[in-house]
Amino acid sequence: LSLARMDFPVFMALLICALTIPGFGDMGSGKAQSCSDIRQFYNGKGFSLNGVPQSEISGEHLRICPQGYTCCTSVMEDSLSNLSRTEMEGLIRDAGRALQASLNGQYKVFDGYLLELLNRSEGFLQQSYPPALGSLYTQNTRVFSDLYTELRRYYRGSNVNIEEALNEFWARLLERMFKGANGRYLIGDDYLECVSKQSETLRPFGDTPRDLKLKVTRTFVAARSFVQGLVISGEVVRKVSQVPLSPECMRAIMKMTYCPHCRGVASARPCANYCANVLKGCLANQADLDTEWRNLADAMLQVSNRFEGVSSVDVVFLSLPTHISEAITTMMDNIDTFNNKVFQACGNPREGGTSSTGLEEVKRRGKVTVEDSPTSAARLEKLVSDVSRRLRDMQPYWVSLPSTLCSDRVATRAQADKCWNGMARARYLPGVMGDGLASQINNPEVEIDITKPDMTIRQQIMQLKIMTNRLKNAFNGNDVDFQDTSDDISGSGSGMCTEENCPRGPRLMAPSTDRPKVYAYPPENKKVVKASADHNLPSIAVIIVVIIFTQT
């Protein structure tokens, strides 16, 4: 009767209000919703269903996800939080492994080619010198082989002074040739020391030692620093990619990744800007590598220019036998003049040796020549082009990593009002933060203490600076000081190089700071919008497999 007396418009208004009271999951339902979907999802992640509710419960116990009716217990929230952290750290490592594998591949190809050039150069010497030099070579093979041994050790990063190694080679060669040209004399060490002093002004080998020293030093310095740049950059990627996520980041990743399941909107993917802020906060320290990372790549590109033209590594390496032969020929052509001046300065040596051998035989045989190898130049040009392209591609890696991880398979740019914003399925209001630690002071998603940078990453920034300075010195033709490779910078599991050929960089510790923490402002978009549940959001492990850093 009372209903009959009630005005019809008022009655309809009351009825609509009663039917539109929001519930969890499906709107308009006044009873608790089933948890069958999240039970299936949770069990699929490998967790036990013990304690998982059959229907939704009150969510006051939730510490990360928005509170409200939910199917997640505290145990489930903790389990999914740990899982989200493990998966995200794995994805970051996988992206790092992809880049490291690319650098590793470039290192192996370039390193293999340079060693091949050295082997070909020595092989040509071993094949061509015996018929051309006869006993002068066969009786002194160690002099020549030791030179190549020292060149390889220098290239590998050993503590070898390349100029001293070349000086030692010419001194030993002069000694053997002088003895061979004056075999009827008894020549002792004191006399040879005097001969060596005279060679500084008499220059028995002509201009070859000086010219070769300049070319070899510049080329080997550039080659060694370049491959070491590939090694160091790969090591930086490996170490930085293993830096664990902070507890604050762990909460933010959980809130973005699995809280939609607990909230009953599993189909809602994270808003693009929301994901960007979460990852920019979590990877803020990594983004601070950007400047020095780009500087290293630029320096390596500059050094790679040294591998072209008349001073390219293939020309210098393969022409070593010819230059040495020219020096030997110069001394043979002027041996009489050289002897006379040495005898004047050092006195006549005592007779009593065997008959003179060696040089007359060489004069009859002629000098050694080497054929040009155009295929070497073409191959080197391609190698330099490939590695240069890879270096350019990797330059934005650290600042682009958040957007790479927040690909369209994780976040969504479409339907901006129906994506997950950390609280509900709704539009994400805050703007996107900048790159790097200092830009995160107002990050609404991750609490960041911008006064305390990660020490591991700061150490790697310093390593990049050191390597860049070495490369700049190499570009200017100055030798760079690498420590002996008996200490391996990579430690176990590097994959960049073996223990015999990895140089060790200095261990550097950045100073720590002790300032008050500065935390980000809380999120501004607290509005909660109810929506129907649809548990089709793919797991984070499957989601971002595709976004591993791609090298073309």
Side-chain angles (χ1 to χ4, degrees), residues 25-276:
D26 291 330
M27 297 180 66
S29 175
K31 58 183 180 180
Q33 301 299 305
S34 171
C35 293
S36 59
D37 287 346
I38 195 169
R39 283 173 62 87
Q40 182 180 358
F41 163 78
Y42 190 69
N43 189 239
K45 290 293 185 180
F47 298 114
S48 171
L49 291 178
N50 292 335
V52 178
Q54 295 288 345
S55 59
E56 64 189 22
I57 59 177
S58 178
E60 290 83 357
H61 57 277
L62 297 177
R63 292 173 295 175
I64 299 176
C65 297
Q67 295 182 348
Y69 284 105
T70 182
C71 286
C72 287
T73 65
S74 294
V75 173
M76 294 173 65
E77 188 181 42
D78 290 341
S79 298
L80 291 175
S81 180
N82 290 327
L83 177 63
S84 66
R85 176 178 184 173
T86 300
E87 289 178 336
M88 182 57 71
E89 287 179 343
L91 292 169
I92 294 171
R93 285 195 298 271
D94 287 344
R97 288 191 189 103
L99 177 56
Q100 187 185 359
S102 176
L103 293 167
N104 190 14
Q106 296 299 311
Y107 162 78
K108 288 182 177 179
V109 171
F110 210 87
D111 177 70
Y113 180 66
L114 293 180
L115 290 176
E116 177 188 327
L117 288 177
L118 265 179
N119 291 337
R120 285 172 57 189
S121 177
E122 185 176 20
F124 179 82
L125 184 148
Q126 293 171 343
Q127 294 173 7
S128 303
Y129 273 31
L133 301 182
S135 60
L136 178 63
Y137 175 77
T138 57
Q139 294 177 7
N140 301 290
T141 55
R142 185 68 179 270
V143 175
F144 300 97
S145 64
D146 283 351
L147 172 63
Y148 280 89
T149 297
E150 289 299 284
L151 292 177
R152 286 191 186 88
R153 290 186 62 229
Y154 174 85
Y155 169 72
R156 282 305 194 193
S158 295
N159 189 21
V160 174
N161 185 308
I162 195 167
E163 293 191 5
E164 291 181 1
L166 290 169
N167 291 338
E168 176 67 14
F169 166 75
W170 292 117
R172 293 175 64 189
L173 185 61
L174 173 62
E175 174 186 315
R176 303 302 175 89
M177 291 190 67
F178 185 78
K179 283 185 175 181
N182 298 280
R184 60 194 181 94
Y185 296 110
L186 293 174
I187 300 175
D189 293 340
D190 291 341
Y191 197 88
L192 288 175
E193 184 176 351
C194 181
V195 173
S196 177
K197 292 179 180 179
Q198 300 307 310
S199 67
E200 296 176 5
T201 55
L202 298 179
R203 296 165 57 195
F205 296 116
D207 294 331
T208 298
R210 183 188 61 189
D211 295 343
L212 195 60
K213 180 188 296 185
L214 179 63
K215 290 180 180 179
V216 168
T217 299
R218 292 178 69 91
T219 302
F220 271 81
V221 166
R224 183 171 77 161
S225 62
F226 186 80
V227 296
Q228 289 303 324
L230 293 173
V231 173
I232 294 298
S233 58
E235 279 304 295
V236 169
V237 173
R238 181 180 68 85
K239 292 179 179 179
V240 172
S241 298
Q242 292 177 347
V243 173
L245 298 176
S246 67
E248 293 78 15
C249 179
M250 176 180 173
R251 291 174 58 88
I253 293 292
M254 166 61 189
K255 191 175 182 181
M256 179 180 73
T257 307
Y258 290 131
C259 281
H261 291 266
C262 294
R263 198 73 186 92
V265 288
S267 63
R269 293 192 295 175
C271 303
N273 288 354
Y274 171 46
C275 182

Side-chain angles (χ1 to χ4, degrees), residues 18 31 53 90 110 195 213 266 381 401 448 452 467 517 543:
K31 58 183 180 180
F110 210 87
V195 173
K213 180 188 296 185
E381 182 179 355
L401 188 56
I448 302 291
K452 292 187 177 180
M467 189 66 239
K517 290 187 177 181
I543 283 173

Side-chain angles (χ1 to χ4, degrees), residues 103 106 222 225-234 293-307 384 387-388 391 394 467-468 471-472 475:
L103 293 167
Q106 296 299 311
S225 62
F226 186 80
V227 296
Q228 289 303 324
L230 293 173
V231 173
I232 294 298
S233 58
W293 182 257
R294 291 177 182 271
N295 289 342
L296 176 65
D298 288 339
M300 292 181 67
L301 288 170
Q302 281 188 318
V303 171
S304 68
N305 294 330
R306 292 292 186 199
F307 301 145
V384 173
V387 75
S388 297
L391 290 171
M394 80 177 193
M467 189 66 239
T468 299
L471 286 161
K472 289 179 178 179
F475 178 76

Side-chain angles (χ1 to χ4, degrees), residues 284-299 394-399 435-436 457-458 460-462 464-465 468 472:
N285 281 280
Q286 288 83 340
D288 282 343
L289 286 157
D290 181 64
T291 298
E292 292 305 327
W293 182 257
R294 291 177 182 271
N295 289 342
L296 176 65
D298 288 339
M394 80 177 193
Q395 283 185 311
Y397 176 77
W398 295 110
V399 292
D435 299 313
I457 293 178
R458 295 294 145 172
Q460 297 311 305
I461 291 175
M462 187 61 67
L464 292 175
K465 288 182 178 181
T468 299
K472 289 179 178 179

Side-chain angles (χ1 to χ4, degrees), residues 336-365:
D336 292 335
T337 302
F338 181 73
N339 276 347
N340 290 334
K341 292 184 177 181
V342 167
F343 293 163
Q344 292 176 7
C346 303
N348 293 323
R350 262 185 326 116
E351 294 191 13
T354 58
S355 59
S356 179
T357 59
L359 296 191
E360 292 300 325
E361 179 185 8
V362 173
K363 289 181 179 180
R364 292 194 303 269
R365 294 170 183 261

